[in-house]
Structures are given as structure tokens and as C-alpha cells.
Amino acid sequence: STPCWFTESMGSGEPISIQDRHKLKVNDKLRLDPPEFTVKNYACQRRTPLKHNNTHLTHALELLAESAAFGENEGRSVAFTRAASVLKTLPRSVQRIEELRGLPCLGEHSLRVIKEILEYGASQEVESTRQSEQYQAMKALTGIFGVGVKTADRWYREGVRRPSDLMDSEQKLNQAQQAGLQHYKDLNTCVSKAEADAIGVIVDQAVQAVLPGAQITLTGGFRRGKESGHDVDFLITHPEEGKEEGLMPKVVNWLDTQVGQKGQNSYLESKDGPARPPSNMDRFERCFSIFKLESQSCSPPEREKSHQWKAVRVDLVVSPFSQFAFAVLGWTGSKLFERDLRRYAGQVKNMSLNSHSLFDSHQRCFLRATSEEEIFSLLGLEYIPACDRNA
Ligand code: DCT
Ligand code: MG
């Protein structure tokens, strides 16, 4: 592999007098100059806007992160994701690799890729990964609703390359995967903010019908200001603690029967979605679904399609009111921002944060909060608004 002169120059050396500076090699000299940018270590300590100045670099690093995730190498995947995230916070586009000195989360491999792109316009590793049969097949197969990396990898090893290969194969598909295959094209078309809002109106109708006074909040990428996303995430709660219990099946049933039977625009087609790895999130009542959105609510390109509706992934979560602030914070994302919030809480504050609560291990008690601002403050963090959590 290419030796990385840049990381080698980043180690701290002995102090050198001004008079001796002329004897130094260029690389040694670099580390004496003040850093071009300062960036905090944890994503939850910095502002990451949606629009930034280094997309040509971050897309490349994120492709490598995705490819590592396909290979079930989470450590490597997170490392590339972190490197990309640091570049997203920079106030201007990077021109020279030297400008990155002193920045956290930029490992040797990421720096090598960045340097190559800055110098030659592209990275050989990124381009060959993008073109590889395995990457393309894994991307296509994990794009099926209900299919995770493990299943996609097994299929790949059995010769499956495209979703269409599954149509007439012996492979057993569960209900969610069958629906995923059936609506493959729709579900791999981005959901617009207008479509998310249209779905919000219908979900709110359902929620009000079964539990008046319940509140729904748009979370996920749309709450961070994204104009499109792969799904629509909603969090549902009720100001009277306990009223929310058993709400999910009622909402799903209302959408299924009321809206469906009247021949209106939507219903929840599939109640069993892809299983996510067991985590503290699963304690919430949650529903992954495929929502049928009537075409007049769709964005123009979808409206011209032959069928009259578009399938959209919708993720519903119900939270007790007392946990609502933690739930909003936990479901707003981004995934890296959430990961770093939890890591920061544990490593820096000796606290344990999830989408339900904050536990102070030192005082051995749960800390209450009724807003996101309060949670940041309990963690000793400057408040970062949702639009700046696009880490
Ligand atoms: N989440 C998380 N960790 C996960 C999965 C989800 O912290 N493993 C949280 C953070 C984001 C939120 O749930 C919604 O998840 P997604 O819909 O997958 O992410 P998104 O940011 O909304 O992305 P997109 O815009 O593509 O839907
Ligand atoms: Mg989402």
C-alpha cells in the first residue's frame, strides 16, 4: 500500500527552535503551522449542516463505508463514515491534503483516498468498488424492503445478482420481502418532503380517530431538513401518560380498514417489516410498513406512471409522554450523530443514553428531561438544532 506521508507527519515531535526551522523537511514544518480547521472529536459536539462543501470527497468515503458494511465490517464502515462526517463540517472545500492536518477521525486509509481524489480527481479503490459485481449486487439486494446484509450476502453467494433473479428462483421470501420485491421500484425512488407531509396528514387522521389528543411528530431525515429520504419516520405520543399503550395496532388497523375499505388513498399493507438488530429501540411499539400513497399526493414524476399510487416506506414509533424528548432525540438522527451522542454520554459523562432515558452511572439515577435542549444540557453539550445534526 502507498505509504502515507501525511499521517507520519502528524505525530508530535520534540519542540524545535525558530532558528532551526529552516533545516526541517517540508512535512515536519507542516505540523508547526497552526491547523487550518478545528473540529471537535464527537459528531454531537459539532454542527453538521445538510449542505456542505466537500460532497465529492464525502460521497467517495461513504461508498467505501457502505461497501465495508456489506462485508459486515462495522469498524471499518464507521471509520469511513466518521471521516466523511468530519469533512461535512468544514466551512469550505478542501483543496490540499495539508489543510486536513490535526483533524480527528481521519485515518490513514481515508486520508489516502482523499489525497488521491484531490490530486487525480478520483480514487482507484472507490471506482473499482463502485464497478464491482459484489458491490452492485449487494446494493441492489439490500435495497429490497425486508432484506438485510446477511440475507443479501447469502443470496449473492448462491448466485443471485439482481432482484429479478429472485422472481423465479427457489429462494424463500418472507411477507415483507415479497412486498419489497413487488414494490421494488417505488421503494427505491426517493420520498419527497411533500409526499412525507401528505402521509403525515393521513397518519394524523388515523391517530386522532383512535386516540383524540395524540400528537405526531415527523422525525428522521425530514426533521433534519432533508428534502427527500428513503422512508418517512413518525413518532406518536399522548400528553396523558399511559394513554398511548396499545395504540399501534389500533392505528394500523384504522389505516388498514377505514382508509382501505373506503377506497381512499392509503393503507398499511405490510405489518411485518425488516427485523433490525435487537437494541434498546425495540422496546418501543414500532411498525415498519409500506404505505400506498395516492398519486395526486406524489411528486410529478411519479404521477405520470401508469399506476395510481406510489408505495412508500413508513416507520411509526409510539412513545410514552415521559420519554418523548429522548425518543425525538433518538429518532431524529443522523445515525452517526446518535451513535456519537451515546458514545459521548458513556465515555465523557459516565452516563448511558438511549431513546427512552438518560442514566447517570455515577449518581446511579435516571435524569428526567422534557425537551431535547434539556438533554443536551444534562450531557454538558452545546445544543445542536436538528438541521445541524446531519453528521
Ligand atoms: N436510527 C438510529 N440507528 C439506527 C437506525 C435508526 O439511530 N440503526 C435513528 C436515527 C435516524 C432515525 O432513526 C431514522 O432512521 P432512518 O430512516 O434509517 O434514517 P434517516 O436519517 O431518516 O434517513 P433517510 O432520510 O434515508 O430516511
Ligand atoms: Mg428516515
Side-chain angles (χ1 to χ4, degrees):
S1 67
T2 329
C4 191
W5 58 270
F6 183 67
T7 40
E8 281 158 14
S9 74
M10 298 209 302
S12 62
E14 291 298 307
I16 296 160
S17 69
I18 300 293
Q19 293 91 316
D20 286 342
R21 278 189 75 161
H22 69 276
K23 295 181 197 158
L24 297 175
K25 287 182 291 179
V26 176
N27 290 345
D28 287 334
K29 216 168 157 182
L30 282 171
R31 70 164 186 258
L32 299 176
D33 295 327
E36 196 87 16
F37 306 108
T38 22
V39 173
K40 293 259 175 69
N41 200 27
Y42 294 84
C44 56
Q45 293 175 301
R46 46 190 203 232
R47 289 171 187 265
T48 315
L50 198 56
K51 294 205 168 70
H52 63 87
N53 312 292
N54 288 291
T55 44
H56 60 304
L57 299 173
T58 58
H59 286 164
L61 293 168
E62 282 172 342
L63 185 136
L64 295 179
E66 191 181 27
S67 167
F70 291 158
E72 295 185 66
N73 190 339
E74 201 197 351
R76 189 178 156 101
S77 177
V78 173
F80 284 127
T81 306
R82 279 194 202 296
S85 179
V86 162
L87 300 183
K88 291 178 189 175
T89 67
L90 303 181
R92 58 178 174 76
S93 79
V94 176
Q95 304 297 325
R96 296 172 309 120
I97 193 79
E98 292 84 356
E99 297 166 3
L100 300 178
R101 71 183 173 278
L103 291 185
C105 311
L106 295 178
E108 188 178 334
H109 197 155
S110 293
L111 283 168
R112 201 164 62 225
V113 171
I114 296 167
K115 187 166 182 273
E116 204 182 330
I117 297 173
L118 292 176
E119 286 176 7
Y120 305 105
S123 144
Q124 218 165 46
E125 184 184 3
V126 172
E127 296 319 313
S128 66
T129 303
R130 199 197 304 279
Q131 301 305 327
S132 79
E133 188 180 30
Q134 182 166 20
Y135 172 80
Q136 291 187 359
M138 289 296 287
K139 178 123 184 126
L141 297 175
T142 55
I144 305 172
F145 181 72
V147 178
V149 166
K150 281 204 160 58
T151 306
D153 184 59
R154 179 164 46 80
W155 287 344
Y156 179 77
R157 283 185 281 109
E158 289 166 12
V160 180
R161 294 292 178 269
R162 286 171 296 271
S164 57
D165 294 344
L166 292 162
M167 300 281 194
D168 34 35
S169 80
E170 303 282 280
Q171 300 290 350
K172 279 217 166 67
L173 303 181
N174 66 28
Q175 232 191 323
Q177 293 164 348
Q178 282 170 28
L181 201 54
Q182 193 184 339
H183 303 300
Y184 186 76
K185 206 162 162 252
D186 275 0
L187 297 181
N188 281 282
T189 308
C190 279
V191 187
S192 69
K193 178 65 167 57
E195 289 166 342
D197 289 338
I199 291 171
V201 169
I202 296 156
V203 173
D204 190 45
Q205 261 176 19
V207 168
Q208 296 311 323
V210 299
L211 182 63
Q215 298 168 358
I216 76 163
T217 306
L218 186 62
T219 60
F222 288 114
R223 183 158 185 264
R224 302 197 307 274
K226 282 177 71 173
E227 276 145 34
S228 68
H230 95 286
D231 70 354
V232 194
D233 307 285
F234 292 105
L235 183 62
I236 306 168
T237 191
H238 191 284
E240 275 175 69
E241 186 86 0
K243 284 250 172 162
E244 80 295 339
E245 273 176 41
L247 182 60
M248 188 69 84
K250 289 182 200 157
V251 171
V252 172
N253 188 49
W254 191 92
L255 288 164
D256 262 342
T257 56
Q258 298 294 310
V259 183
Q261 272 172 14
K262 283 186 199 154
Q264 287 181 18
N265 42 11
S266 67
Y267 61 92
L268 288 161
E269 185 174 79
S270 165
K271 280 168 236 173
D272 54 346
R276 288 199 187 175
S279 75
N280 47 43
M281 285 183 176
D282 293 338
R283 287 194 284 139
F284 278 124
E285 278 198 90
R286 177 169 192 187
C287 170
F288 300 95
S289 58
I290 298 174
F291 200 97
K292 284 192 174 182
L293 181 64
E294 198 183 70
S295 289
Q296 68 189 40
S297 311
C298 298
S299 302
E302 274 74 44
R303 221 180 288 156
E304 280 146 33
K305 287 189 313 196
S306 55
H307 68 217
Q308 290 306 296
W309 51 270
K310 177 187 180 184
V312 178
R313 288 190 197 200
V314 175
D315 204 348
L316 303 177
V317 175
V318 172
S319 157
F321 199 64
S322 62
Q323 302 176 3
F324 184 69
F326 296 100
V328 176
L329 181 59
W331 290 99
T332 294
S334 69
K335 283 176 194 107
L336 185 67
F337 193 89
E338 299 299 332
R339 179 186 271 270
D340 272 16
L341 262 179
R342 295 189 293 262
R343 203 166 60 99
Y344 177 90
Q347 294 177 346
V348 179
K349 306 301 282 188
N350 197 19
M351 291 180 185
S352 167
L353 175 73
N354 60 34
S355 306
H356 305 271
S357 61
L358 179 62
F359 184 77
D360 186 329
S361 309
H362 187 65
Q363 298 182 52
R364 298 179 146 273
C365 65
F366 285 99
L367 306 176
R368 295 191 163 274
T370 56
S371 67
E372 290 183 309
E373 283 86 344
E374 260 180 79
I375 303 173
F376 278 87
S377 156
L378 289 169
L379 288 167
L381 286 169
E382 183 201 337
Y383 179 68
I384 309 286
C387 64
D388 283 329
R389 295 182 207 158
N390 288 290

